[in-house]
Amino acid sequence: MEIKSRFTALQLAIDYLRKGESLLIYPEGTRSIGQKLLPFQIGAFFIAEYTGASVLPVFIEGADMVLPKSQS
């Protein structure tokens, strides 16, 4: 993703939170193949810190079985 697109995505997320909307963010930035956890990207943490939004960590088991990465 180019820098301009990343900035736009961050700005949209911040705007949604300021309007009282909720966001679902995958902190890895993408889905891994299999069950290996990838390193977290900084974007989700930056958004939470910048806006003061609460963070609710959630684990979704079996999502790869419902929608494999090759279909997304």
Side-chain angles (χ1 to χ4, degrees), residues 24-52:
L24 170 63
I25 299 175
Y26 294 95
E28 296 172 87
T30 187
R31 295 186 304 160
S32 61
I33 296 175
Q35 296 182 353
K36 183 180 177 187
L37 186 64
L38 298 174
F40 285 7
Q41 302 295 310
I42 195 168
F45 302 103
F46 169 79
I47 292 167
E49 179 70 23
Y50 186 80
T51 63

Side-chain angles (χ1 to χ4, degrees), residues 9-25 43-55:
L10 286 172
Q11 189 60 54
L12 284 171
I14 290 167
D15 291 345
Y16 275 116
L17 289 171
R18 286 185 173 158
K19 292 177 185 175
E21 300 288 335
S22 296
L23 292 177
L24 170 63
I25 299 175
F45 302 103
F46 169 79
I47 292 167
E49 179 70 23
Y50 186 80
T51 63
S54 298
V55 175

Side-chain angles (χ1 to χ4, degrees), residues 55-59:
V55 175
L56 175 64
V58 175
F59 172 76

Side-chain angles (χ1 to χ4, degrees), residues 1-14 43 47:
M1 181 185 289
E2 68 179 83
I3 293 174
K4 184 177 179 182
S5 296
R6 288 180 184 179
F7 177 78
T8 301
L10 286 172
Q11 189 60 54
L12 284 171
I14 290 167
I47 292 167

